[in-house]
Amino acid sequence: MKIAVIGTGYVGLVTGTCLAETGNNVICVDIIEEKVNKMKAGQLPIYEPGLDVLFHRNIAQNRLSFTTNLADAIKDAEIIFMALPTPPGGDGAADLSYILGAAKDISKLITDYKVIVNKSTVPVGTADKVAAVFAENTSVEVDVVSNPEFLREGVAVDDFMKPDRVVIGTRSERARKLMGELYAPYVRQGNPIYYMDERSSELTKYAANSFLATKITFMNEIANLCEIVGADVDAVRKGIGSDDRIGKRFLFPGIGYGGSCFPKDVQALEKAAVEHNYDFKILKAVMDVNEKQKTILFDKLQAYYKGDLKGKKFALWGLAFKPETDDIREAPALYIINELLNAGAEVVAFDPEAMGNVKVLLGDKIKYASTQYEALEGADALLIATEWSLFRNPDFEKMESILKNKVIFDGRNLFDLQKMIDLGYYYNSIGRKIIS
Ligand SMILES: NC(=O)C1=CN([C@@H]2O[C@H](COP(=O)(O)OP(=O)(O)OC[C@H]3O[C@@H](n4cnc5c(N)ncnc54)[C@H](O)[C@@H]3O)[C@@H](O)[C@H]2O)C=CC1
Ligand SMILES: O=C(O)[C@H]1O[C@H](OP(=O)(O)OP(=O)(O)OC[C@H]2O[C@@H](n3ccc(=O)[nH]c3=O)[C@H](O)[C@@H]2O)[C@H](O)[C@@H](O)[C@@H]1O
């Protein structure tokens, strides 16, 4: 099939590349010329494991191309995907200006039937709004479909190629047939396509992200309680996770959820509820708890150093909001850095992929080490904010010889408690006994 993808961020790029992989002819459009030129030259603008192989293969096979010219991209396309930003507006509700703006531009260019697919995360009623834009600007027939994306950064290719499910929101038989054909190769292993109306599909996406954010937040609160009552969150996690109704995944406590989606989507769903005069109490609590959880390592440091952090030097392992990505949007590490700098402390950070992005944001406000061990030089303590595999089994003897003190504050529970006792570290993690 001939496909156009509007927007080449995470979702657009993964969608376009993975759709080309099953033999479709895909043209991706972006308004940033520099980015498009980079992709035309065969360079990926994001770090995403496994994407480069598919990206290069499909460019070489002439199935994947890039342009800044919207008219060229959509001319022959049967299906047009919109993978555009939906950032929080001033009041926290999703800003639909990118989506509605692009819909207007497309509506003025099309001359034959198109399926317009919304891949972005959007509030209930957006498909109707997009359809209204087309109705206003053209007499050409279109079907507007909601097809939310559930991929996770870091495992995005696998998530797209082998999705747990595909959700397609449309009441049009014609669009349903085309979308079903397009997704058939991806759901071959028996994972279902759920067809539903546009509104249910739009809400499914917000419900999924908000539920997962709630699950994490619940565990963060259990972890905090564990510390107070002397229980071990790892034991509790295993104890509840073995119940199929609860499930083992997304039960890991930490320093709050971050990233480009959970924070904005929980907020947008809560705002959408308010707009419909519904008080979504759980979501308000989730946001509140997460705000506090993002600085829990800082609070632990404050307590340990009795409020005197001025002049202290901290090594920070991990800047990305999670491993296997260079994405630092809403990364908890940034909140910790901010608190430490305000308290007059010095930070030396190391991250395998995200330092470039942090340099753009923070410049020389912090120092950047070229290895995880270099970050430890003369540090009063090590802080861990992202669970990169590289950090899971470090050379503790080497660390001991570089760190000023054998003190670790771990926001991701990377190390075994008994091991830390044997090694003689002060070790403060989340929801577990403090080793001192
Ligand atoms: N990042 C993720 O892991 C996931 C994101 N989503 C949702 O997908 C949507 C897109 O997210 P990301 O890909 O992360 O966004 P992004 O911000 O990384 O990328 C958006 C891209 O659209 C381009 N763009 C903006 N206006 C344009 C226009 N008029 N024409 C062509 N290109 C234009 C931008 O230059 C940018 O390259 C959001 O609604 C997000 O909530 C859904 C699932 C996963
Ligand atoms: O809509 C989106 O953009 C995407 O948002 C999340 O994906 P992503 O943001 O890439 O990352 P996750 O792996 O979900 O992690 C989100 C945050 O939760 C935290 N987390 C996750 C799991 C856990 O057990 N504990 C925990 O603190 C992570 O550290 C991270 O900060 C969802 O998992 C995807 O299904 C969805 O498509």
Side-chain angles (χ1 to χ4, degrees), residues 10 48 151-156 260 321-322 324-325 327 329:
Y10 250 98
E48 180 60 41
L151 65 79
R152 291 159 298 163
E153 293 181 17
V155 281
S260 66
F321 83 96
K322 67 174 197 176
E324 299 301 331
T325 179
D327 199 335
R329 291 179 281 185

Side-chain angles (χ1 to χ4, degrees), residues 253-256 296-297 383-385 409-414 428-430:
I255 45 177
I296 199 153
L297 274 196
L383 319 181
I384 301 173
F409 289 83
D410 178 0
R412 300 295 182 175
N413 291 359
L414 294 192
N428 194 330
S429 50
I430 307 290

Side-chain angles (χ1 to χ4, degrees), residues 26-247:
V26 182
I27 305 185
C28 297
V29 198
D30 207 287
I31 43 171
I32 303 175
E33 199 167 337
E34 194 190 331
K35 196 173 181 179
V36 170
N37 287 339
K38 217 175 159 182
M39 293 186 287
K40 278 183 174 171
Q43 286 170 40
L44 262 178
I46 52 166
Y47 171 74
E48 180 60 41
L51 187 62
D52 50 347
V53 177
L54 271 65
F55 178 78
H56 292 121
R57 177 160 62 221
N58 286 290
I59 292 174
Q61 306 269 335
N62 291 323
R63 287 194 301 251
L64 180 63
S65 59
F66 304 93
T67 180
T68 50
N69 189 315
L70 182 65
D72 284 352
I74 65 174
K75 191 158 59 78
D76 298 323
E78 300 161 84
I79 304 182
I80 301 173
F81 279 86
M82 292 198 285
L84 294 162
T86 47
D91 61 351
D95 172 2
L96 289 180
S97 59
Y98 292 88
I99 302 280
L100 299 178
K104 192 170 179 183
D105 294 344
I106 297 166
S107 69
K108 292 187 171 161
L109 294 166
I110 52 170
T111 51
D112 57 355
Y113 173 77
K114 307 280 182 203
V115 175
I116 310 292
V117 183
N118 193 4
K119 257 248 166 279
S120 302
T121 302
V122 291
V124 172
T126 302
D128 293 340
K129 286 186 182 160
V130 171
V133 170
F134 278 92
E136 229 172 77
N137 293 290
T138 180
S139 54
V140 174
E141 190 191 348
V142 296
D143 280 315
V144 179
V145 173
S146 161
N147 170 222
E149 181 50 57
F150 299 96
L151 65 79
R152 291 159 298 163
E153 293 181 17
V155 281
V157 172
D158 248 21
D159 279 350
F160 196 99
M161 296 305 291
K162 289 176 267 172
D164 287 342
R165 81 308 206 177
V166 170
V167 170
I168 295 174
T170 180
R171 284 160 296 162
S172 151
E173 268 311 311
R174 190 174 178 185
R176 178 188 164 122
K177 191 166 169 288
L178 270 172
M179 292 299 287
E181 278 169 26
L182 183 68
Y183 274 109
Y186 303 88
V187 294
R188 225 182 266 139
Q189 270 99 22
N191 291 338
I193 297 181
Y194 292 116
Y195 295 98
M196 54 184 83
D197 63 90
E198 298 83 343
R199 285 176 176 250
S200 304
S201 168
E202 288 164 342
L203 190 53
T204 299
K205 174 64 193 179
Y206 275 119
N209 274 5
S210 299
F211 187 84
L212 292 168
T214 304
K215 193 172 179 186
I216 295 164
T217 304
F218 180 83
M219 276 315 282
N220 283 336
E221 292 238 81
I222 291 290
N224 295 342
L225 191 60
C226 281
E227 290 185 20
I228 296 165
V229 301
D232 183 332
V233 77
D234 275 345
V236 177
R237 176 174 56 76
K238 287 176 193 151
I240 64 170
S242 50
D243 184 327
D244 277 351
R245 293 170 302 173
I246 295 173

